Amino acid sequence: MAKPLTDSEKRKQISVRGIAGLGDVAEVRKSFNRHLHFTLVKDRNVATPRDYFFALAHTVRDHLVGRWIRTQQHYYERDPKRIYYLSLEFYMGRTLQNTMVNLGLQNACDEAIYQLGLDLEELEEIEEDAGLGNGGLGRLAACFLDSMATLGLAAYGYGIRYEFGIFNQKIVNGWQVEEADDWLRYGNPWEKARPEYMLPVHFYGRVEHTPDGVKWLDTQVVLAMPYDTPVPGYKNNTVNTMRLWSAKAPNDFKLQDFNVGDYIEAVLDRNLAENISRVLYPNDNFFEGKELRLKQEYFVVAATLQDIIRRFKSSKFGCRDPVRTCFDTFPDKVAIQLNDTHPALSIPELMRILVDVEKVDWDKAWEITKKTCAYTNHTVLPEALERWPVSMFEKLLPRHLDIIYAINQRHLDHVAALFPGDVDRLRRMSVIEEGDCKRINMAHLCVIGSHAVNGVARIHSEIVKQSVFKDFYELEPEKFQNKTNGITPRRWLLLCNPGLADVIVEKIGEEFLTDLSQLKKLLPLVSDEAFIRDVAKVKQENKLKFSAFLEKEYKVKINPSSMFDVHVKRIHEYKRQLLNCLHVITLYNRIKKDPAKAFVPRTVMIGGKAAPGYHMAKMIIKLVTSIGDVVNHDPVVGDRLKVIFLENYRVSLAEKVIPAADLSQQISTAGTEASGTGNMKFMLNGALTIGTMDGANVEMAEEAGVENLFIFGLRVEDVEALDRKGYNAREFYDHLPELKQAVDQISSGFFSPREPDCFKDVVNMLMHHDRFKVFADYEAYMQCQAQVDQLYRNPKEWTKKVIRNIACSGKFSSDRTITDFVSRDSCCGCFCLARDGSAAVLPWNLGQGCCPCCRPVPFCDSCHVLGYVSCCAHKGPLGPEVTSFHSAWTAGPGLGGRGEPFSALPLPEADAPGKTCLALPEGEGREQAAAFTVGLLGKSGRTTLPEASTTLHVGSGLHREALPLPPGLQCLLGKVCSRCTAYQSHWRLLFSGGKFWGCGHALATSATPCGSSVREAALP
């Protein structure tokens, strides 16, 4: 069998991505030698491979520096709205290859390193992963930074520079053993310390109310030192910044100890302060509630907000003197996105700064805070939601506890006014949870203090609205949105799978790397024989390469012609690695029962880390390795079935295994996985998915067609029905002989002969305490796996489905996700008549929700869900033609033509006083509907429309511009969103002569409400 080509060897062949210029190669060689000599103080006689890596990293970084400085200068000169992405985790992985790809330097570096007698791949392997995250949440943050830079957005990532990242996992005798990840041991060539921007962060102390305001006194100070890492966009000269904070003790830390002579003890105690940024908490989807973790959360928030406000106040590059002193425009210049509840303290901290330091009135400060902050929810598992003890806050952050109490009181007063007498609702919606230990519900704080709340897949967003935050959704439905996760195609295709990227580029060009929807152009090639061969060849080369890697690193020899069945993610009961184990055991039993039968050979690879304190997850790892010990050494089985546990799964290992995978396992219980992003990476790289209708799997099935995935098992509603009925695992155990055999083997010690009772806890959980219903999906899973085997026997048909999946994966780019976020913060498609929300009309597609840039029309649940037209308003003069109001919702077919004839529905009792609704007459068409659905919101107290403008503001941020309207026309629009502009679907509401109508980019509507004609005039 031919040895697979390395990436380096493939790049030496002619590639559609271009050949390096001689000048570029010479420059790289010269810079490399200069850094080896002057930066590392080595020559070729004594330099180590690590020295060569650092010399190359500094060479590549040189190409970043000019772009980095110019990008920041551009932002200061243009003063755009800046996006601040706050996250306790950034799972960046390695930086060298990603930077070379994004700068277009890879071929030049490859050739230069080759001419120097070195191997680029070997140097790339020396780099440590920046493992500052646990899994999906941290990796999503990293993909978002890449996309924001590629889209040219003024964005910053803020987090903690953990000295020790996610632990390194070793498997010893089948058990997980954790080792510290000392990723900074040899230094980090990509970061730049910024001691000039070091900031104080306060803890403990006491609160004093004075005539000058509230004071937080006698605090303990820790300094936050920023380290900046460049984040390059893809070939666009934009380089953004990720700023990570490191904790430093001030020089006078515990000075009182010096005065009593215990100098040594006082210096040693500096570690207590610096421990804040020492280590990443290794819990994923589990809340532990340690004081050090709360310190970390406040540390990053306090330092970041000081930095944000400093930047807001300064408008000139390099200037640190405050220029802006009024905070009215703060939400127009600052957007803070909270990545889960970990940075939730941003809300009370921003309030503290505005009220206590900047002396802003409370109500104004709260308005600014809400308009500035937005919250992404990442999980529906109750054990993952943060609930901090009030007693801990009282000691550590006393002023913030006061502010949270005040926020909660105003919030509950508002709820009580809308739902008088509903005490249970007040209890459910309170930020403070009463009980033996009073706790602060951080998710509730995030929802209350944000203008937008999003889930990360459509099914997850619906669960958030209907379950986790149901009461909050009923209160403010317009706040809740969906932003389906995505991945960056630069790292997760171009970098990790250059062979597949080249095959695609040959057919459709390179545009898909920045617009992944272009992959749809591959659909006509699904049955193209040559393309099928090319895609299959790339997959086989990737499998050969990964097989060689496994043999070298794990000393395991596998059959590269077998199906690579891959299940890699954090080890957790809800992700159901146990269901995969039961399938493996059943396959093993079938082979043993009938060795002469033809089986599709499989190599099952399971990988992932278990939280150190999560006993069941560690038992699952032990079970996988124990099954592997039995299966892999059984001569009857041979190479028809192998079980490999992939030790120390991380970003750099994912980049190797994902391009080689044939089958992607995404088998969580329906309703438990928020989204997943691994599923998207496998789809993009040509693996077929076996999975439940959970997370983003649902949308993947929609995009590619459910017939092109292997979907099985209970749906969310089935799980809920089973919960109501009562899940009884024994029913399935008694009625499914193969399941019973597999469970009995685990229980009896078949896979652990030296410790027969080793897995009794696993079996006891499965039989009596399984929240995730493994047995309920076993039979459907086995049947679905049989379909996988059947299709794999037909390589051509398998590859056709692979191509269709790749072609339909365009939606799952993080570029699209970020574009959705940006569109939300300008306008999501509703007609905004006034920036302050004094008036609004309905969007054409109610399913998109309403944007936070106006106070949209409040929808009733049924109207919003079904896409009916509804408009609730104060009675007031809207113009001579609009005079009919009723104390009821008006529902009907709406602008999309769906639903029943128009009818009046009673308004909720609490909303009825002083509120009315425009009634639309039955049978009116689309134009008339657009014309009549205009109303004023009760909360604003205004009864006239805002002053019209003779210009139309198009776009947002850097791209916003004013265009003149045709003569006689005026625009009541604050702005049109960039999404609308991109899709060239400019629905606008115009005002002329007291008449209203809806229009498109040409004013083509046939009549105004009074029946007079409207001349057609093209908008600029």
Side-chain angles (χ1 to χ4, degrees):
M1 188 175 288
K3 185 181 176 185
L5 293 174
T6 65
D7 283 348
S8 178
E9 288 167 334
K10 278 189 272 187
R11 286 196 294 269
K12 290 188 185 84
Q13 300 174 345
I14 294 176
S15 165
V16 291
R17 285 174 292 144
I19 301 170
L22 293 175
D24 296 336
V25 173
E27 184 198 343
V28 170
R29 284 181 58 188
K30 182 179 177 182
S31 182
F32 178 91
N33 286 322
R34 188 180 74 248
H35 278 295
L36 190 64
H37 188 80
F38 289 105
T39 307
L40 296 161
V41 198
K42 292 280 184 82
D43 63 25
R44 294 293 296 270
N45 295 316
V46 296
T48 65
R50 179 164 273 105
D51 294 323
Y52 294 139
F53 158 70
F54 274 97
L56 178 58
H58 284 293
T59 299
V60 172
R61 197 184 81 155
D62 287 349
H63 287 79
L64 280 173
V65 171
R67 294 173 171 90
W68 196 6
I69 291 171
R70 284 197 299 273
T71 299
Q72 301 311 312
Q73 286 174 337
H74 176 73
Y75 292 159
Y76 272 89
E77 288 163 6
R78 296 296 297 270
D79 193 27
K81 184 173 186 175
R82 289 172 165 89
I83 301 163
Y84 297 100
Y85 196 81
L86 270 64
S87 180
L88 268 284
E89 300 182 21
F90 286 96
Y91 205 168
M92 303 300 289
R94 292 171 174 164
T95 299
L96 174 60
Q97 192 180 358
N98 186 72
T99 304
M100 291 190 297
V101 164
N102 279 10
L103 293 183
L105 283 174
Q106 196 164 17
N107 290 330
C109 290
D110 198 353
E111 181 60 29
I113 295 301
Y114 174 73
Q115 290 179 12
L116 289 164
L118 302 170
D119 185 283
L120 182 61
E121 267 193 272
E122 288 179 7
L123 298 188
E124 289 169 349
E125 286 298 313
I126 291 169
E127 184 173 11
E128 301 278 351
D129 276 51
L132 308 185
N134 279 281
L137 179 144
R139 185 52 235 172
L140 181 77
C143 283
F144 278 2
L145 292 187
D146 179 272
S147 285
M148 288 189 284
T150 298
L151 291 168
L153 297 172
Y156 303 77
Y158 275 96
I160 293 179
R161 180 182 178 265
Y162 299 106
E163 192 175 325
F164 296 93
I166 184 67
F167 60 87
N168 286 320
Q169 180 193 56
K170 299 290 183 186
I171 301 299
V172 180
N173 298 322
W175 296 97
Q176 171 179 292
V177 175
E178 300 87 29
E179 291 185 354
D181 170 39
D182 193 3
W183 72 289
L184 291 170
R185 178 186 306 157
Y186 301 104
N188 177 6
W190 307 106
E191 67 183 10
K192 175 69 181 78
R194 304 283 193 191
E196 69 273 22
Y197 291 110
M198 192 144 52
L199 296 166
V201 176
H202 299 262
F203 295 99
Y204 304 107
R206 60 187 177 83
V207 176
E208 190 174 294
H209 294 264
T210 72
D212 296 328
V214 181
K215 307 286 185 186
W216 185 16
L217 305 172
D218 301 333
T219 57
Q220 186 182 108
V221 176
V222 175
L223 299 177
M225 162 91 89
Y227 287 79
D228 288 355
T229 300
V231 180
Y234 181 68
K235 294 185 179 180
N236 67 348
N237 291 327
T238 297
V239 181
N240 284 340
T241 302
M242 176 177 68
R243 176 162 286 184
L244 303 180
W245 302 101
S246 183
K248 303 288 180 190
N251 287 331
D252 60 353
F253 185 77
K254 293 219 168 184
L255 187 63
Q256 66 274 18
D257 289 348
F258 287 31
N259 297 331
V260 294
D262 204 347
Y263 169 79
I264 299 297
E265 191 65 31
V267 172
L268 292 178
D269 278 350
R270 290 169 61 89
N271 280 332
L272 297 174
E274 296 175 0
N275 279 343
I276 290 173
S277 58
R278 192 80 68 201
V279 63
L280 167 75
Y281 269 85
N283 295 319
D284 191 59
N285 280 301
F286 182 76
F287 171 61
E288 203 169 357
K290 302 283 188 185
E291 183 176 309
L292 178 59
R293 174 65 170 185
L294 184 58
K295 276 188 174 179
Q296 287 181 342
E297 292 183 358
Y298 179 64
F299 174 75
V300 67
V301 158
T304 298
L305 279 168
Q306 289 180 73
D307 215 33
I308 289 172
I309 288 170
R310 172 193 59 78
R311 197 176 286 116
F312 168 76
K313 286 182 172 182
S314 305
S315 62
K316 189 176 171 185
F317 185 67
C319 171
R320 285 196 268 172
D321 299 325
V323 176
R324 289 192 186 97
T325 53
C326 175
F327 281 83
D328 288 354
T329 60
F330 192 74
D332 297 323
K333 292 297 180 183
V334 174
I336 296 175
Q337 189 69 37
L338 309 177
N339 193 25
D340 214 9
T341 56
H342 312 142
L345 285 165
S346 299
I347 293 164
E349 173 66 3
L350 183 52
M351 286 296 290
R352 185 190 71 80
I353 293 171
L354 292 174
V355 173
D356 295 358
V357 180
E358 303 293 342
K359 305 303 180 186
V360 178
D361 170 75
W362 177 281
D363 290 337
K364 185 65 181 175
W366 182 240
E367 180 189 350
I368 291 168
T369 299
K370 281 189 72 172
K371 285 183 176 178
T372 301
C373 296
Y375 160 54
T376 299
N377 175 271
H378 278 277
T379 182
V380 298
L381 297 179
E383 64 266 32
L385 298 176
E386 291 191 298
R387 295 175 166 92
W388 290 104
V390 166
S391 57
M392 192 182 291
F393 257 82
E394 205 164 21
K395 179 175 101 174
L396 192 67
L397 300 167
R399 176 57 181 145
H400 297 78
L401 180 61
D402 286 351
I403 291 169
I404 290 170
Y405 274 141
I407 290 170
N408 192 47
Q409 187 59 56
R410 286 166 171 79
H411 162 65
L412 292 181
D413 289 346
H414 176 59
V415 174
L418 292 174
F419 302 95
D422 195 342
V423 177
D424 200 45
R425 183 182 292 266
L426 291 177
R427 180 188 56 77
R428 293 194 307 266
M429 297 184 73
S430 176
V431 176
I432 310 298
E433 296 179 350
E434 302 294 337
D436 294 338
C437 173
K438 284 173 70 171
R439 293 181 177 273
I440 299 171
N441 187 313
M442 303 304 276
H444 288 186
L445 179 62
C446 284
V447 174
I448 294 165
S450 299
H451 68 260
V453 177
N454 74 277
V456 289
R458 196 174 64 238
I459 187 174
H460 169 236
S461 297
E462 288 304 311
I463 291 169
V464 162
K465 290 191 291 189
Q466 304 305 327
S467 175
V468 184
F469 300 130
K470 184 174 187 291
D471 294 313
F472 295 92
Y473 175 65
E474 290 173 356
L475 184 69
E476 296 179 290
E478 72 278 2
K479 200 182 255 192
F480 290 81
Q481 306 166 359
N482 174 56
K483 299 287 176 281
T484 299
N485 281 347
I487 58 173
T488 168
R490 274 74 63 182
R491 183 180 290 268
W492 296 112
L493 181 56
L494 183 58
L495 181 154
C496 74
N497 203 343
L500 181 59
D502 281 347
V503 167
I504 295 171
V505 167
E506 284 176 2
K507 295 296 182 183
I508 66 171
E510 295 188 21
E511 285 184 18
F512 73 92
L513 292 169
T514 51
D515 177 10
L516 206 60
S517 65
Q518 297 278 333
L519 289 177
K520 286 278 186 190
K521 293 178 181 177
L522 295 176
L523 283 174
L525 301 172
V526 166
S527 298
D528 183 286
E529 297 287 344
F531 191 62
I532 290 170
R533 280 196 304 274
D534 289 344
V535 171
K537 182 184 175 189
V538 166
K539 178 62 72 175
Q540 194 55 34
E541 286 175 351
N542 291 337
K543 291 173 72 174
L544 283 165
K545 185 178 178 186
F546 191 65
S547 299
F549 170 80
L550 284 180
E551 193 168 344
K552 178 185 172 189
E553 296 295 324
Y554 293 84
K555 308 297 183 277
V556 175
K557 196 167 180 64
I558 60 173
N559 175 10
S561 299
S562 64
M563 182 199 302
F564 281 16
D565 175 348
V566 183
H567 195 179
V568 285
K569 51 188 74 241
R570 283 301 289 255
I571 308 297
H572 200 294
E573 288 163 81
Y574 86 86
K575 294 179 184 288
R576 298 204 297 190
Q577 285 89 357
L578 286 172
L579 183 57
N580 195 352
C581 288
L582 291 172
H583 172 248
V584 170
I585 295 169
T586 303
L587 276 186
Y588 171 74
N589 290 335
R590 288 176 181 176
I591 294 171
K592 294 286 284 184
K593 183 179 179 181
D594 190 358
K597 187 177 177 183
F599 289 89
V600 172
R602 279 191 192 234
T603 301
V604 178
M605 304 178 204
I606 300 176
K609 296 176 181 177
Y614 189 176
H615 169 69
M616 188 54 64
K618 286 190 159 183
M619 291 305 304
I620 290 169
I621 291 174
K622 175 62 175 172
L623 178 60
V624 173
T625 57
S626 299
I627 293 170
D629 287 341
V630 171
V631 171
N632 298 345
H633 296 99
D634 193 319
V636 175
V637 175
D639 65 359
R640 288 181 288 186
L641 182 62
K642 293 286 183 188
V643 180
I644 313 289
F645 186 84
L646 297 174
E647 181 182 85
N648 202 32
Y649 183 65
R650 59 203 184 279
V651 173
S652 56
L653 182 53
E655 291 165 4
K656 295 179 175 66
V657 68
I658 288 172
D662 290 307
L663 186 68
S664 160
Q665 299 251 11
Q666 310 295 334
I667 58 176
S668 54
T669 311
T672 59
E673 186 73 85
S675 170
T677 49
N679 45 6
M680 303 168 187
K681 293 162 193 165
F682 282 105
M683 183 185 192
L684 182 60
N685 281 275
L688 297 186
T689 301
I690 183 168
T692 52
M693 276 298 197
D694 195 26
N697 294 356
V698 177
E699 289 157 83
M700 287 164 54
E702 281 181 9
E703 293 295 307
V706 71
E707 69 279 5
N708 293 301
L709 283 76
F710 300 100
I711 298 295
F712 73 93
L714 302 173
R715 288 1 186 209
V716 172
E717 56 270 22
D718 300 325
V719 173
E720 291 170 350
L722 195 53
D723 281 332
R724 288 192 295 271
K725 175 190 168 188
Y727 170 64
N728 184 355
R730 184 161 288 278
E731 285 181 19
F732 299 96
Y733 172 84
D734 290 338
H735 287 90
L736 298 169
E738 286 187 316
L739 172 62
K740 184 178 188 301
Q741 181 186 4
V743 174
D744 288 348
Q745 285 172 306
I746 297 170
S747 179
S748 65
F750 181 86
F751 297 105
S752 54
R754 295 183 181 177
E755 298 176 78
D757 292 336
C758 182
F759 300 116
K760 68 177 189 303
D761 288 351
V762 175
V763 173
N764 181 54
M765 182 275 292
L766 286 171
M767 294 295 294
H768 305 293
H769 312 289
D770 181 12
R771 295 159 53 205
F772 304 108
K773 304 171 181 61
V774 170
F775 290 1
D777 274 341
Y778 170 82
E779 187 175 20
Y781 182 53
M782 293 303 300
Q783 292 168 356
C784 201
Q785 287 282 18
Q787 295 170 24
V788 173
D789 283 345
Q790 184 179 354
L791 185 65
Y792 196 75
R793 287 189 172 98
N794 187 337
K796 183 176 176 181
E797 290 304 313
W798 179 279
T799 306
K800 281 184 178 181
K801 286 191 186 289
V802 164
I803 294 169
R804 192 172 291 279
N805 271 265
I806 294 169
C808 295
S809 60
K811 175 179 179 177
F812 305 107
S813 167
S814 49
D815 298 348
R816 190 268 316 149
T817 312
I818 292 299
T819 301
D820 284 355
F821 272 111
V822 173
S823 299
R824 176 199 72 190
D825 278 342
S826 50
C827 174
C828 69
C830 60
F831 301 111
C832 301
L833 287 168
R835 183 71 177 82
D836 67 356
S838 57
V841 296
L842 297 178
W844 285 97
N845 180 3
L846 295 182
Q848 293 295 317
C850 259
C851 69
C853 64
C854 64
R855 289 304 304 262
V857 175
F859 306 129
C860 69
D861 286 346
S862 60
C863 291
H864 184 255
V865 171
L866 298 177
Y868 287 146
V869 173
S870 58
C871 184
C872 183
H874 267 314
K875 186 178 292 185
L878 292 178
E881 278 69 52
V882 185
T883 56
S884 178
F885 295 84
H886 299 280
S887 297
W889 292 103
T890 299
L895 308 182
R898 295 176 295 186
E900 300 299 320
F902 290 107
S903 58
L905 306 175
L907 282 167
E909 190 172 304
D911 289 344
K915 291 195 176 182
T916 55
C917 185
L918 285 102
L920 301 182
E922 289 188 26
E924 296 288 346
R926 287 171 67 99
E927 293 81 9
Q928 286 82 355
F932 279 90
T933 52
V934 179
L936 295 179
L937 291 181
K939 291 179 186 175
S940 71
R942 288 176 59 172
T943 56
T944 56
L945 287 170
E947 186 178 345
S949 168
T950 56
T951 57
L952 175 69
H953 288 91
V954 180
S956 62
L958 286 172
H959 311 293
R960 189 174 181 223
E961 54 182 317
L963 303 176
L965 286 170
L969 296 180
Q970 293 180 306
C971 181
L972 291 166
L973 222 58
K975 56 186 175 181
V976 175
C977 71
S978 53
R979 181 199 292 178
C980 293
T981 304
Y983 284 97
Q984 296 182 351
S985 176
H986 310 306
W987 283 100
R988 300 153 183 160
L989 190 81
L990 301 181
F991 172 86
S992 178
K995 303 175 181 66
F996 293 85
W997 65 89
C999 69
H1001 18 297
L1003 302 182
T1005 48
S1006 60
T1008 60
C1010 63
S1012 59
S1013 297
V1014 177
R1015 70 180 182 85
E1016 185 166 325
L1019 287 176

